[in-house]
mmCIF file of all heavy atoms in Angstrom:
data_model
loop_
_atom_site.group_PDB
_atom_site.id
_atom_site.type_symbol
_atom_site.label_atom_id
_atom_site.label_comp_id
_atom_site.label_asym_id
_atom_site.label_seq_id
_atom_site.Cartn_x
_atom_site.Cartn_y
_atom_site.Cartn_z
ATOM 1 N N ASN B 75 -4.581 -17.584 -14.826
ATOM 2 C CA ASN B 75 -4.710 -18.757 -15.627
ATOM 3 C C ASN B 75 -5.664 -18.573 -16.758
ATOM 4 O O ASN B 75 -5.422 -19.047 -17.899
ATOM 5 C CB ASN B 75 -5.054 -19.893 -14.790
ATOM 6 C CG ASN B 75 -4.849 -21.222 -15.439
ATOM 7 O OD1 ASN B 75 -3.736 -21.416 -16.092
ATOM 8 N ND2 ASN B 75 -5.737 -22.108 -15.447
ATOM 9 N N SER B 76 -6.720 -17.869 -16.488
ATOM 10 C CA SER B 76 -7.818 -17.650 -17.453
ATOM 11 C C SER B 76 -8.488 -16.370 -17.098
ATOM 12 O O SER B 76 -9.357 -16.302 -16.199
ATOM 13 C CB SER B 76 -8.792 -18.868 -17.472
ATOM 14 O OG SER B 76 -9.866 -18.669 -18.316
ATOM 15 N N MET B 77 -8.233 -15.358 -17.935
ATOM 16 C CA MET B 77 -8.822 -14.053 -17.646
ATOM 17 C C MET B 77 -10.317 -14.035 -17.499
ATOM 18 O O MET B 77 -11.036 -14.642 -18.374
ATOM 19 C CB MET B 77 -8.325 -13.078 -18.781
ATOM 20 C CG MET B 77 -8.902 -11.661 -18.713
ATOM 21 S SD MET B 77 -8.035 -10.725 -17.516
ATOM 22 C CE MET B 77 -8.813 -9.130 -17.623
ATOM 23 N N GLU B 78 -10.815 -13.300 -16.524
ATOM 24 C CA GLU B 78 -12.226 -13.068 -16.418
ATOM 25 C C GLU B 78 -12.471 -11.584 -16.297
ATOM 26 O O GLU B 78 -11.517 -10.806 -15.965
ATOM 27 C CB GLU B 78 -12.767 -13.820 -15.166
ATOM 28 C CG GLU B 78 -12.632 -15.328 -15.215
ATOM 29 C CD GLU B 78 -13.565 -15.997 -14.373
ATOM 30 O OE1 GLU B 78 -14.410 -15.504 -13.703
ATOM 31 O OE2 GLU B 78 -13.446 -17.308 -14.316
ATOM 32 N N THR B 79 -13.704 -11.289 -16.617
ATOM 33 C CA THR B 79 -14.127 -9.763 -16.655
ATOM 34 C C THR B 79 -13.788 -9.049 -15.368
ATOM 35 O O THR B 79 -13.148 -7.955 -15.355
ATOM 36 C CB THR B 79 -15.676 -9.685 -16.819
ATOM 37 O OG1 THR B 79 -15.975 -10.441 -18.026
ATOM 38 C CG2 THR B 79 -16.007 -8.202 -16.995
ATOM 39 N N GLU B 80 -13.953 -9.701 -14.204
ATOM 40 C CA GLU B 80 -13.773 -9.077 -12.924
ATOM 41 C C GLU B 80 -12.262 -8.817 -12.693
ATOM 42 O O GLU B 80 -11.865 -8.180 -11.643
ATOM 43 C CB GLU B 80 -14.347 -9.842 -11.774
ATOM 44 C CG GLU B 80 -13.718 -11.239 -11.646
ATOM 45 C CD GLU B 80 -14.446 -12.160 -10.694
ATOM 46 O OE1 GLU B 80 -15.653 -12.059 -10.710
ATOM 47 O OE2 GLU B 80 -13.849 -12.891 -10.025
ATOM 48 N N ASP B 81 -11.387 -9.397 -13.426
ATOM 49 C CA ASP B 81 -9.910 -9.291 -13.185
ATOM 50 C C ASP B 81 -9.354 -7.909 -13.722
ATOM 51 O O ASP B 81 -8.239 -7.685 -13.426
ATOM 52 C CB ASP B 81 -9.156 -10.432 -13.724
ATOM 53 C CG ASP B 81 -9.576 -11.770 -13.222
ATOM 54 O OD1 ASP B 81 -10.202 -11.802 -12.100
ATOM 55 O OD2 ASP B 81 -9.451 -12.811 -13.921
ATOM 56 N N ALA B 82 -10.129 -7.214 -14.515
ATOM 57 C CA ALA B 82 -9.691 -5.950 -15.039
ATOM 58 C C ALA B 82 -9.427 -4.968 -13.890
ATOM 59 O O ALA B 82 -10.368 -4.677 -13.132
ATOM 60 C CB ALA B 82 -10.710 -5.403 -16.051
ATOM 61 N N ALA B 83 -8.285 -4.531 -13.707
ATOM 62 C CA ALA B 83 -7.919 -3.601 -12.590
ATOM 63 C C ALA B 83 -6.433 -3.289 -12.783
ATOM 64 O O ALA B 83 -5.766 -3.752 -13.741
ATOM 65 C CB ALA B 83 -8.167 -4.334 -11.294
ATOM 66 N N THR B 84 -5.937 -2.489 -11.809
ATOM 67 C CA THR B 84 -4.498 -2.203 -11.836
ATOM 68 C C THR B 84 -3.806 -3.074 -10.642
ATOM 69 O O THR B 84 -4.386 -3.133 -9.594
ATOM 70 C CB THR B 84 -4.194 -0.754 -11.556
ATOM 71 O OG1 THR B 84 -4.871 -0.005 -12.660
ATOM 72 C CG2 THR B 84 -2.700 -0.470 -11.521
ATOM 73 N N TYR B 85 -2.735 -3.685 -11.054
ATOM 74 C CA TYR B 85 -2.029 -4.528 -10.023
ATOM 75 C C TYR B 85 -0.621 -3.906 -9.703
ATOM 76 O O TYR B 85 0.114 -3.479 -10.611
ATOM 77 C CB TYR B 85 -1.824 -5.949 -10.630
ATOM 78 C CG TYR B 85 -3.132 -6.674 -10.863
ATOM 79 C CD1 TYR B 85 -3.850 -6.452 -12.056
ATOM 80 C CD2 TYR B 85 -3.652 -7.477 -9.909
ATOM 81 C CE1 TYR B 85 -5.120 -7.112 -12.143
ATOM 82 C CE2 TYR B 85 -4.871 -8.160 -10.114
ATOM 83 C CZ TYR B 85 -5.583 -7.974 -11.183
ATOM 84 O OH TYR B 85 -6.732 -8.593 -11.358
ATOM 85 N N TYR B 86 -0.330 -3.915 -8.411
ATOM 86 C CA TYR B 86 0.939 -3.345 -7.927
ATOM 87 C C TYR B 86 1.769 -4.350 -7.157
ATOM 88 O O TYR B 86 1.072 -5.189 -6.455
ATOM 89 C CB TYR B 86 0.608 -2.176 -6.962
ATOM 90 C CG TYR B 86 -0.086 -0.934 -7.556
ATOM 91 C CD1 TYR B 86 -1.407 -0.804 -7.516
ATOM 92 C CD2 TYR B 86 0.711 0.063 -8.220
ATOM 93 C CE1 TYR B 86 -2.057 0.290 -8.059
ATOM 94 C CE2 TYR B 86 0.086 1.153 -8.799
ATOM 95 C CZ TYR B 86 -1.322 1.255 -8.658
ATOM 96 O OH TYR B 86 -1.950 2.348 -9.278
ATOM 97 N N CYS B 87 3.013 -4.402 -7.387
ATOM 98 C CA CYS B 87 3.826 -5.270 -6.603
ATOM 99 C C CYS B 87 4.433 -4.363 -5.503
ATOM 100 O O CYS B 87 4.432 -3.131 -5.610
ATOM 101 C CB CYS B 87 4.959 -5.902 -7.327
ATOM 102 S SG CYS B 87 6.029 -4.809 -8.310
#
Side-chain angles (χ1 to χ4, degrees):
Chain B
N75 195 44
S76 177
M77 175 77 179
E78 295 201 7
T79 305
E80 65 189 34
D81 300 337
T84 300
Y85 294 85
Y86 296 93
C87 56

